[in-house]
Amino acid sequence: MGRYILRRLLQMIPVFIGTTLIIFLAVYALPGDPIKALFGDKAADPATVARLKHQYGLDKPLLEQYWNYLTNLFQGDFGLSFSQRQVSDMLGEAIPVTVKLALVAFGFEAVIGIALGLLTGLKRGKIVDQVVLLLTLLVISIPIFVIGYLAQVYIGTKWGIVDPVVTDSNDVSQLILPAVVLGSVSLAYVSRLTRTSVVENVRADYIRTATAKGLPRRRVIGVHLMRNSLIPVVTFLGTDLGALMGGAIVTEGIFNVKGIGNMLYKGITGGDGPLVVGCVTFLVVVYLVASLLVDLLYAVLDPRIRYA
């Protein structure tokens, strides 16, 4: 196991470098001058533009800029945003908010989605199965910003169950509605994926053998059926954890959540290259760590899987 983890960590290095390089080139290779864009319609003083370019290292070749960014990154320096604030400080304020939002959404989609998938898989063809399949298909078909708008209007404004806009991003109770909206589409996928996996495994030989041995139905379902059925679900959930943090851009914008998604959106619209690259770099790390954890969970769920 230790050698496998070490090998996976080594494999993450070229993946990390490749993805951050692509993002860096995509942001800074765009046409236009980001420094002149800071002045808007005003005429930019050439001396001021030259000074700012030198301050941000934009007067150097693109690959040299990336190398400097990478070396500073491994020292914990994400660079300086165009707002003259350290990107690391801005991330330090936004990341805890988005982590809370993503974890609440993750727990919502995992618990409810797996429960619905197990229920519909065991009740295949019955009315509850048809209703859940119809509802999940409906949720998948609706864009996330429409779901957020409807939740904000009805649950927040008309029914007054919760505040339609988050006033304190550090208050977990105010993040419940945005988290439900954020995790709603993923919940539908988790439910359908769990149902499919349960239907495939419920007729397997090992399930019939466990039942024939006289094991309690709770143990047959909870231990034998679920452990094998959850492998594809865990794969989806692991990759979706990073997607929840990156996909929070729309949700955080709708509910005014001061997280990394909101900050990334402002960085994109404001042309703040260092801020955008810093946010995406953090999300890349989240994806890589989540992928490693998913692989390690395989051996826990299925004893037949062993890592050399």
Side-chain angles (χ1 to χ4, degrees):
M1 177 70 77
R3 294 179 60 185
Y4 174 79
I5 296 176
L6 178 61
R7 186 167 68 249
R8 282 300 308 273
L9 290 175
L10 293 176
Q11 290 173 352
M12 287 182 180
I13 296 176
V15 175
F16 174 80
I17 294 176
T19 51
T20 52
L21 176 61
I22 293 174
I23 296 300
F24 192 91
L25 295 178
V27 171
Y28 288 104
L30 293 175
D33 191 335
I35 298 299
K36 290 183 179 180
L38 295 176
F39 294 88
D41 297 332
K42 299 180 180 179
D45 178 39
T48 304
V49 172
R51 178 179 60 81
L52 290 175
K53 283 187 176 181
H54 180 72
Q55 179 183 2
Y56 288 100
L58 300 178
D59 54 346
K60 300 177 181 178
L62 199 56
L63 290 180
E64 185 178 350
Q65 294 179 38
Y66 173 72
W67 174 254
N68 292 335
Y69 170 76
L70 201 62
T71 53
N72 292 331
L73 183 64
F74 285 110
Q75 298 175 8
D77 182 8
F78 282 79
L80 186 68
S81 75
F82 289 161
S83 62
Q84 296 297 313
R85 290 190 61 192
Q86 289 292 329
V87 176
S88 57
D89 295 338
M90 300 174 70
L91 288 174
E93 297 174 359
I95 287 175
V97 175
T98 300
V99 168
K100 293 176 185 177
L101 178 65
L103 289 179
V104 175
F106 183 82
F108 168 71
E109 73 175 63
V111 175
I112 306 298
I114 292 175
L116 288 176
L118 177 61
L119 176 63
T120 53
L122 296 176
K123 303 289 185 180
R124 180 186 180 187
K126 297 186 178 180
I127 185 65
V128 64
D129 182 27
Q130 300 299 325
V131 171
V132 172
L133 285 178
L134 179 62
L135 291 177
T136 53
L137 181 61
L138 181 64
V139 171
I140 293 173
S141 304
I142 301 176
I144 189 67
F145 63 87
V146 176
I147 298 176
Y149 174 74
L150 293 175
Q152 192 176 45
V153 170
Y154 287 96
I155 300 178
T157 303
K158 288 191 175 182
W159 299 338
I161 298 176
V162 296
D163 292 331
V165 178
V166 175
T167 56
D168 184 5
S169 298
N170 293 312
D171 187 356
V172 178
S173 62
Q174 295 190 29
L175 298 178
I176 294 179
L177 182 59
V180 170
V181 172
L182 179 61
S184 57
V185 175
S186 297
L187 181 146
Y189 282 113
V190 169
S191 175
R192 295 173 72 90
L193 186 60
T194 305
R195 176 192 177 276
T196 302
S197 187
V198 168
V199 170
E200 291 178 355
N201 288 285
V202 74
R203 302 180 184 275
D205 292 338
Y206 65 89
I207 295 296
R208 287 197 293 265
T209 301
T211 304
K213 287 181 177 180
L215 294 178
R217 180 173 174 80
R218 180 182 300 177
R219 180 173 178 80
V220 173
I221 295 175
V223 177
H224 297 278
L225 178 61
M226 288 302 296
R227 286 182 66 175
N228 289 277
S229 300
L230 284 180
I231 291 178
V233 180
V234 167
T235 302
F236 175 82
L237 288 174
T239 56
D240 191 56
L241 182 58
L244 287 175
M245 300 193 68
I249 296 177
V250 176
T251 307
E252 290 184 357
I254 294 174
F255 292 95
N256 193 37
V257 180
K258 306 299 183 181
I260 191 171
N262 200 336
M263 189 172 64
L264 179 58
Y265 173 76
K266 292 180 179 179
I268 294 173
T269 56
D272 196 334
L275 182 59
V276 173
V277 173
C279 291
V280 176
T281 299
F282 170 75
L283 295 177
V284 169
V285 174
V286 172
Y287 271 105
L288 292 176
V289 174
S291 176
L292 175 61
L293 293 178
V294 166
D295 287 347
L296 297 179
L297 281 175
Y298 285 162
V300 176
L301 293 173
D302 191 344
R304 295 172 297 179
I305 298 177
R306 288 294 179 266
Y307 297 116

